[in-house]
Amino acid sequence: MLGARCLLRALRSCSSAPCPRHTPSAKLSVRDALGAQNTSGERVKVQGWIRSVRSQKEVLFLHINDGSSLESLQVVADSSFDSKELAFGSSVEVQGQLVKSPSKRQNVELKAEKIEVVGNCDAKAFPFKYKERHPLEYLRQYPHLRCRTNVLGSILRVRSEATAAIHSFFKDSGFVHIHTPIITSNDCEGAGELFQVEPSSKVKVPEENFFNVPAFLTVSGQLHLEVMSGAFTQVFTFGPTFRAENSQSRRHLAEFYMVEAEISFVESLQDLMQVMERLFKTATMLVLSNCPEDVELCHRFIAPGQKDRLEHMLKNNFLIISYTEAVEILKQASQNFTFTPEWGVDLHTEHEKFLVKHCGNIPVFVVNYPLALKPFYMRDNEDGPQHTVAAVDLLVPGVGELFGGSLREERYHFLEQRLARYLDLRRFGSVPHGGFGMGFERYLQCILGIDNIKDVIPFPRFTHSCLL
Amino acid sequence: MLGARCLLRALRSCSSAPCPRHTPSAKLSVRDALGAQNTSGERVKVQGWIRSVRSQKEVLFLHINDGSSLESLQVVADSSFDSKELAFGSSVEVQGQLVKSPSKRQNVELKAEKIEVVGNCDAKAFPFKYKERHPLEYLRQYPHLRCRTNVLGSILRVRSEATAAIHSFFKDSGFVHIHTPIITSNDCEGAGELFQVEPSSKVKVPEENFFNVPAFLTVSGQLHLEVMSGAFTQVFTFGPTFRAENSQSRRHLAEFYMVEAEISFVESLQDLMQVMERLFKTATMLVLSNCPEDVELCHRFIAPGQKDRLEHMLKNNFLIISYTEAVEILKQASQNFTFTPEWGVDLHTEHEKFLVKHCGNIPVFVVNYPLALKPFYMRDNEDGPQHTVAAVDLLVPGVGELFGGSLREERYHFLEQRLARYLDLRRFGSVPHGGFGMGFERYLQCILGIDNIKDVIPFPRFTHSCLL
């Protein structure tokens, strides 16, 4: 019988003990193989999915992709390797030598010594055809497979890079990252349709509400960031937000991502606008330098001209106009709008797009909106009859509103009628502060030129659709 | 009357035009001021909250904190600056010269030339008292203010650093980040209580379900990561997950964060365990080097001895035992368990904690669990009468289960009875793959030694509680 001591001796250590496993030394991602400096016949193992097969008399060419890059690795094999199983979509493991490619189309290719089919692909049933460029609407029907196409692969790699770039921008600028809650008993904006949350089987919770109070999915992390900016001065969050809007438009989702920041001791909208502009430009430059091929694919095949438009945005200083000036510009426009522009009425997307064009397709901040249009927490400009608040929206080409922000009302007596907790924040060392939010999907649409918001999020949720 | 052209000239450019604003050149965070190399009288402006006031005959000492670091900046002022308004909790802006401090307690101090009270603090009403160390349970009553204490400030800065460290670990290892959906029509684990999601006002949506199907808050992003690992090979997600468990325990939350990874072409549990161990160690080393003071505060005042325990974990290789071995160890233990250990029954927290102790307080992987205990998607070990699957849990001191993972069943005929979409993933280039999840709050508890999960998340949600 085994004693505990004896068993302890039987413990295996994970990192160092010899274990029955493959030596991973020769395993390379496609990206690393393509970038390999040593092409003097280094023996490697590459795994991935077949993107193309070309069979010649004596040679077989395969292109292998593993999603680590847009580009595939060319595998060159003796035609004796040819088999029906080496088909478009199959997964394979190839061992061989990395060598300089004689062709100009690539630097490196893999001379196969062994090819193993890991998983077959029923190419007839596979919804995407070899060498065919499928429209984005078609791909949307296959949320579980569309990521295997070039275009969705590129968009989602850009999304991943942009996420990292935004985190690093804020970290480098001294912001503390906060996980603001998803379930909340607040309704931050007081507007928009909320999703309510309840346990699915009510049997086990005898109370009426699981949380004692009605609970909703967050529409903004602003209130929670305000709490935190009172401790950390500069904070940000980057997470999902929700609107139960019954909309099938290409601009709206029920679940989308927002980047939100809150900064204490800001003195003017200028302070906020500088952070917004730096965030947009810094993150975009990082994305462009980290995955240029992926961005280029979008710019070339989906949004021709977008490359120049984006460069134009990056090299110019963003502009600033007041809401009042914006309404004047719209009133004098020769264009006929569906909604007549008028002071005191919200700007519509058609107005926003006109304003951006009018400004030479440079992103433009619109500042100082009528008090009556904006939520209670925005700072009163106390500017007489045309009563405005220190709010700002950033409008960008193609998308319209990308950022929204404001100075927050920090003065106790302006807020006295409001929530007790919200007031509490102003009792204990109140400071002027402000913040903003940026729609992350709209940001991706803006830099890539993608028309439909459903194509820049891995699994879109909207009315009548919650696939997977 | 203004023409559009004239208005265009009125546009102000954000970055370069002279704007009526403060020059930000001299503004420093407390952290930057404390680390300043130039202390030969540089003029700076520092903003923050007063943490202490000490008034002497001729000199006034203030400590200012802005949340950028645990340490506060000492401000030295002429006693003529003294005023009732300079009280604990008030927010101030101090201008003056950064000089070398004569005291050994700090390198740098700020010689005040101007002190402006930005916001008063009603110290009598403020729930935290000067110089008092409040218990964590007491602080929990003030979700909107507790971040202003030293201890919550440190914990939340560590949380922010750990978040960044985890993102950077995966990015450096070539993983693509995926935003897996929060709202889903799946129930990944088939277990646990789900939250259901519905629009709060049903009037506007005539259909029975907003999404046409019942929709829930995610309990795991695994299925969606499996989709993506079929395109990108290595993927991860880091987001909120939800359980509607009616639990008031110090181990459970209704909303918590999970780090989940999925890797294609893994050949054994060893491959997964190596990633888990590297993730734990790399992220922890980064946190320790990026915010040593914050970690030390927890180790010194909340969890004495935790520093040594953590070092012990970091310098040893994690161990591996099988589930069968684990049950043998438990059966031979002299300890009386509430739940009698038995092959075929799940391990309880008391068992997990015993096993870790038995292994010398080194984190231990338990592998190969009975098939009957685990969900359908785990890979069958086909090992005869003691039928097990390739599942792995990582148990760590103080916390118990920190990671859970498995090889996934990639073989079509093993899964044939299952979901059509899940099957579809196996029809088109199926590959052996595996993945794991790590509870992020438990990770923070593990490295900091914090006993209650509610203290490592900014806004805890659990039964009967959804404050703010």
Side-chain angles (χ1 to χ4, degrees), chain B residues 242-259:
Chain B
F242 305 86
R243 299 282 154 83
E245 265 173 82
N246 191 357
S247 162
Q248 293 281 344
S249 95
R250 55 173 193 75
R251 288 171 52 80
H252 293 94
L253 290 170
E255 172 178 329
F256 57 100
Y257 278 74
M258 278 239 280
V259 176

Side-chain angles (χ1 to χ4, degrees), chain B residues 22 89 91 99 114 144 191 237 243 272 291 323 417-418 442:
Chain B
H22 268 67
S91 49
V99 296
K114 189 180 164 197
H144 60 311
T237 191
R243 299 282 154 83
L272 288 182
C291 47
Y323 168 84
Q417 316 301 339
R418 313 290 175 180
R442 289 198 183 169

Side-chain angles (χ1 to χ4, degrees), chain B residues 379-397:
Chain B
R379 196 175 200 272
D380 195 332
N381 280 331
E382 297 176 276
D383 50 358
Q386 283 203 330
H387 204 163
T388 68
V389 289
V392 55
D393 282 353
L394 176 64
L395 314 181
V396 297

Side-chain angles (χ1 to χ4, degrees), chain B residues 173-296:
Chain B
S173 308
F175 285 67
V176 173
H177 175 268
I178 302 293
H179 283 123
T180 51
I182 306 305
I183 300 175
T184 173
S185 47
N186 284 296
D187 165 12
C188 175
E189 303 240 327
E193 291 296 317
L194 293 171
F195 284 110
Q196 191 156 358
V197 174
E198 276 167 18
S200 66
S201 73
K202 287 185 186 170
V203 242
K204 289 194 183 170
V205 185
E207 298 83 346
E208 205 179 325
N209 291 114
F210 181 89
F211 295 109
N212 285 10
V213 290
F216 308 96
L217 293 184
T218 183
V219 294
S220 159
Q222 182 192 322
L223 172 65
H224 303 92
L225 284 187
E226 283 200 64
V227 166
M228 293 296 166
S229 76
F232 302 109
T233 306
Q234 299 189 107
V235 290
F236 81 105
T237 191
F238 183 175
T241 47
F242 305 86
R243 299 282 154 83
E245 265 173 82
N246 191 357
S247 162
Q248 293 281 344
S249 95
R250 55 173 193 75
R251 288 171 52 80
H252 293 94
L253 290 170
E255 172 178 329
F256 57 100
Y257 278 74
M258 278 239 280
V259 176
E260 293 178 274
E262 197 72 28
I263 308 167
S264 286
F265 300 103
V266 292
E267 282 146 9
S268 69
L269 281 181
Q270 195 74 25
D271 290 347
L272 288 182
M273 290 188 285
Q274 283 203 336
V275 180
M276 296 184 209
E277 183 168 347
R278 278 205 303 126
L279 167 60
F280 181 91
K281 289 184 172 174
T282 311
T284 307
M285 303 293 277
L286 253 177
V287 169
L288 289 175
S289 81
N290 284 349
C291 47
E293 303 86 3
D294 292 314
V295 175
E296 206 197 318

Side-chain angles (χ1 to χ4, degrees), chain B residues 59-62 74-78 81 109-113 115:
Chain B
V59 200
L60 177 72
F61 293 99
L62 301 176
Q74 173 157 298
V75 172
V76 186
D78 189 277
F81 280 108
E109 59 187 29
L110 181 58
K111 246 177 93 178
E113 289 165 357
I115 302 179

